Every structure is written in structure tokens, then in C-alpha cells.
Amino acid sequence: MTPYPGHGIPAASPGETTLGDHVLGQLRRLGATVGLSEADTELYGQVLIGSLAGAAHRPLSLPPASPTFLSDDHTPVEFSLASAPGAAPALRVLVEPGWAHDDMVDSGRAGLAAIRAMGARWGFATDRLDALADLFFPAAAQGPLALWYALDLRAGGVPGVKVYLNPSASGPESAARTVHEALRRLGYGQAFEQLPPGAGYPFLALDLGAWTSPRVKVYVRHPRMSADDACALSRTSGATAADIRYFFHAAAGSLGPSERGGNDTLRLVRRPALTCHSFTEGDSNPSGFTLHVPVRDYVRDDEEALARATALLTRAGMDPTVLNRSLGALTQRTLADGVGLIAYLALVYERDRPPRLTAYLSSEAHRVRPPQEHYPPGSWMPAQHPQSVLDLGRQAVGPVSPHTAQKEVTWSPTASRS
């Protein structure tokens, strides 16, 4: 963990909450909520803070260091909770380690350094990532990101590591060629032809480290998606049209979600949906399919988003109470006073496994988006941090969700994740 701010990173004044304080407190409370040991949570927290380097010491009284589109308020950290039947929900964290760098080349270097440090710590090779370096880290890198990583936070202190790369690093016109070549180099020569049509490839992801069947995943953007469209996008992996249709309607909030077909003209006209298509070694056909619905753009507030998530989890035979407690671990504000704490809801299929549901949870370190009565644009104002988040992180997580506390709600137009 970096003990002092890096070059160009302002030091926090005594008693001032920093980015590191905020996300480390959230991680500690979330770890307790899902049953991670304190030792495992502290180790993962050290890795997270260390990967942000000096940026972790940036005071939250300052604007975000860069306009990362990892989150709507430009916080370089996002959490997620993956639920499956008959198992405890799994906690994950997504991080942009090069967040403080304006230049994508420098951001990429910082990201690669963070991944190599993890490889040395946990004993995994980075050869698959290194084989793609010229494609995703060119001399004049473009785009809104260079590298993100995600940790699947497991008991025992050894996570699953995922790396997210930008196919448009050499320009959006090169994204398809970059994805095609990356799949070829990784041993999936026929995989590109199995991808569905879409409006671009925002991410290519790799599993590194402790995975039973490491995957490569390609994300596709789908503006104006309908439920019929979503059903047509899953080529294999056991995804059923009835479940996809129900999930789409329930997550998007249409009236009377139906498992039947027929005329289906509801479309996601705001932020577009994403699909993810995963491939495992020795198989050019997709082994996994995920539908991501940006629920925050299709609800009034987070209370409504939680209700939709709860209904989906309950229908699937999964416990929704952990998600409710997890929102309380992230914030003290009332859910009806903001929107975006639940950013995406995702339906996940992997071959020979039961479907999973994942909720993507925003850190809200810098801003909170107000409720959307009619989805109007808003304006920027500072969020309030009335109590040290680091102190809160040391408190035990109780069974009652603290969504009764008040917090000033603010928002600004920002770059979208997709």
C-alpha cells in the first residue's frame, strides 16, 4: 500500500475523507455482510488501495481526478453482488487503477503494473494479457479506458482476477478488427463469427489466476433493445427465451412482465443494454451469455430498483436480503432520495450451471444522482460526507439496513458506462 500521495496528487488535510477511506470502509462493511473474514477483507483492501497508488489519498472535497466512465460520478471503483441458487452471494470489486492519469498510455501502464503485481502476489501468469499488448496498449491509445480489473473476492485470500480491455484503443473504427485478432491469438479462431450484431464492442475481458475454466469475454452494445432482440442474441450456453424475456421486462420495468411471446415493442431507449459472450478453452461456440440492463436509467429511484432486483431474486429462489444489507453497507442515504446505487442488473448463463443474477453497485464517492421524476437532466453539487467512512468501516454490520438516514442528493450529466 502506498503510504504517501503520488506526484501531482493533493494530500488530504487531517480529518478529511479520502477516496481510499471511502472505498475501504465500503469494502469492510460489504465483506462483513457477505461473510468474508476480516483478514481476507483487509488483504483485498490493501490490494485495492495499493493499485490506486497516490490517487487513493485524494480528498473527496476535490472533483474526481478524471472522467472515468466506470461509474456515473467518476468514482474508479464499483462493487457487484452475484447470486446463484443454493449458494451465498459472491462479492466482487471493479477498479480502474490508472484513474488519476489523463493520458490513456500512462493509464495503461499503471494498469499493467497493478496486474503484474497481483500476478507476483498470487502466483499467476500474465502471458495471455502480454500477448495482446500491441492491440490494447498502442503508442497513441484512445478511448475512455485503458485497463480495468475485477476481483472475485473469495475466502482464503486468493481471488479470481479479471482484466477488462478497450477494443477501441486504436480508434473505434478498429474495434472489430481488434476483437477478431485478439480472439485468434487466444486460440478462438472461429469465435468472432459467433458474436451477434451490435453497435460496438465496449470491452474484451480475460480471466487470470485461479479459475477452473478461464474465459475470454466479449461485450456488445445494443441500443434500443427489445425483449425479442434480447432473446435472439443468446446463441448457446443454455439460456432460455422465457427467462430472458421475463428478466428484460422485470428489470426494465414494463407493465405486466410476461413469459410469453407475441408483439413486444418495449425498447430501452435511454442508456443501451449490453450483452456479454464468453468462450472457454477448446470451444469456439459461446459457453456463456449475460444480459446487462442499466436499471438506473429506467427507474425513479433506488427504492424502485431494489424492488425489481428483489422480485427477480425471489422468483429465482435466491435470498434478496443480502443485497438489501449490501446497499446499507454502501450508504446511509434513503433509497428514495437517489438513483444509481444499483447501476445494472444482469442475467448470467454459463453452460452446465444454473442461471445467476448480478447487481452492480455504485460507490457514490463523489456524487449522488437525484430521483428521476421524468428523467430530467440535473446539475452538479458536492455530496455530503458527514461522518468518517473509515470509522464506519470499523463498525459491525447489523441486520437492519440503515436506509433511514438522510444525505444530500446531487447529480450531474456525465459520461455513461456504455
Side-chain angles (χ1 to χ4, degrees):
M1 184 160 28
T2 305
Y4 301 106
H7 177 69
I9 301 294
S13 302
E16 211 175 358
T17 301
T18 66
L19 174 66
D21 295 337
H22 183 82
V23 298
L24 186 56
Q26 290 176 320
L27 179 61
R28 286 170 172 157
R29 298 191 297 275
L30 286 167
T33 299
V34 301
L36 275 178
S37 72
E38 185 175 332
D40 287 342
T41 302
E42 289 303 313
L43 185 152
Y44 293 138
Q46 288 177 15
V47 171
L48 189 163
I49 298 302
S51 73
L52 289 171
H57 304 277
R58 185 181 179 87
L60 291 184
S61 58
L62 295 177
S66 75
T68 176
F69 85 130
L70 188 150
S71 64
D72 281 348
D73 78 326
H74 310 310
T75 303
V77 176
E78 178 189 73
F79 299 96
S80 60
L81 201 64
S83 299
L91 177 63
R92 298 165 182 169
V93 60
L94 179 67
V95 182
E96 183 166 7
W99 172 69
H101 297 279
D102 293 330
D103 183 79
M104 284 297 107
V105 173
D106 292 336
S107 181
R109 288 181 183 138
L112 287 170
I115 297 302
R116 288 173 180 144
M118 292 179 200
R121 172 188 287 270
W122 287 306
F124 64 79
T126 60
D127 51 336
R128 293 207 306 161
L129 176 59
D130 297 337
L132 307 179
D134 61 308
L135 297 176
F136 293 96
F137 305 102
Q142 303 179 36
L145 79 146
L147 182 150
W148 297 346
Y149 74 80
L151 300 182
D152 188 24
L153 304 182
R154 302 169 183 171
V158 180
V161 180
K162 293 181 266 192
V163 176
Y164 294 79
L165 306 171
N166 175 24
S168 297
S170 294
E173 69 283 355
S174 300
R177 290 194 300 273
T178 296
V179 170
H180 192 287
E181 176 61 14
L183 291 170
R184 186 194 69 79
R185 292 188 192 182
L186 294 169
Y188 304 97
Q190 305 303 314
F192 186 80
E193 286 70 25
Q194 302 300 317
L195 297 173
Y201 305 95
F203 315 109
L204 183 140
L206 296 174
D207 288 345
L208 301 175
W211 298 92
T212 303
S213 300
R215 303 156 298 171
V216 57
K217 301 189 294 181
V218 180
Y219 290 74
V220 184
R221 185 182 296 110
H222 303 280
R224 298 186 61 81
M225 175 187 278
S226 70
D228 288 339
D229 295 335
C231 292
L233 296 175
S234 174
R235 304 296 173 86
T236 56
S237 76
T240 67
D243 283 346
I244 292 172
R245 184 178 300 281
Y246 189 94
F247 171 82
F248 178 92
H249 283 294
S254 60
L255 296 177
S258 171
E259 298 183 26
R260 299 184 299 276
N263 294 328
D264 184 356
T265 57
L266 173 74
R267 294 185 178 275
L268 302 182
V269 296
R270 299 182 182 98
R271 196 183 317 242
L274 302 177
T275 59
C276 172
H277 309 267
S278 60
F279 301 86
T280 51
E281 187 174 356
D283 194 350
S284 290
N285 291 318
S287 59
F289 167 80
T290 304
L291 173 61
H292 298 263
V293 172
V295 64
R296 66 194 183 278
D297 286 309
Y298 301 93
V299 291
R300 177 194 180 275
D301 53 43
D302 284 306
E303 189 169 66
E304 185 178 348
L306 176 60
R308 294 187 195 176
T310 297
L312 285 165
L313 289 165
T314 302
R315 179 180 183 268
M318 305 172 194
D319 181 7
T321 62
V322 178
L323 174 59
N324 187 46
R325 295 200 307 271
S326 295
L327 298 183
L330 289 172
T331 184
Q332 290 187 298
R333 72 167 173 82
T334 56
L335 295 182
D337 283 345
V339 65
L341 192 62
I342 302 178
Y344 277 81
L345 293 175
L347 175 64
V348 185
Y349 283 91
E350 286 187 49
R351 188 179 296 155
D352 302 323
R353 296 182 62 181
R356 304 195 307 275
L357 290 168
T358 301
Y360 293 82
L361 310 177
S362 300
S363 174
E364 292 188 344
H366 292 286
R367 301 290 186 270
V368 178
R369 184 181 179 183
Q372 303 178 115
E373 300 294 348
H374 301 289
Y375 307 99
S379 60
W380 278 110
M381 290 178 65
Q384 300 297 309
H385 300 279
Q387 185 174 0
S388 169
V389 180
L390 188 60
D391 290 339
L392 286 171
R394 296 193 179 99
Q395 297 176 8
V397 178
V400 179
S401 177
H403 290 316
T404 55
Q406 295 293 324
K407 181 175 179 181
E408 183 177 350
V409 177
T410 56
W411 173 238
S412 164
T414 182
S416 74
R417 176 176 178 171
S418 55

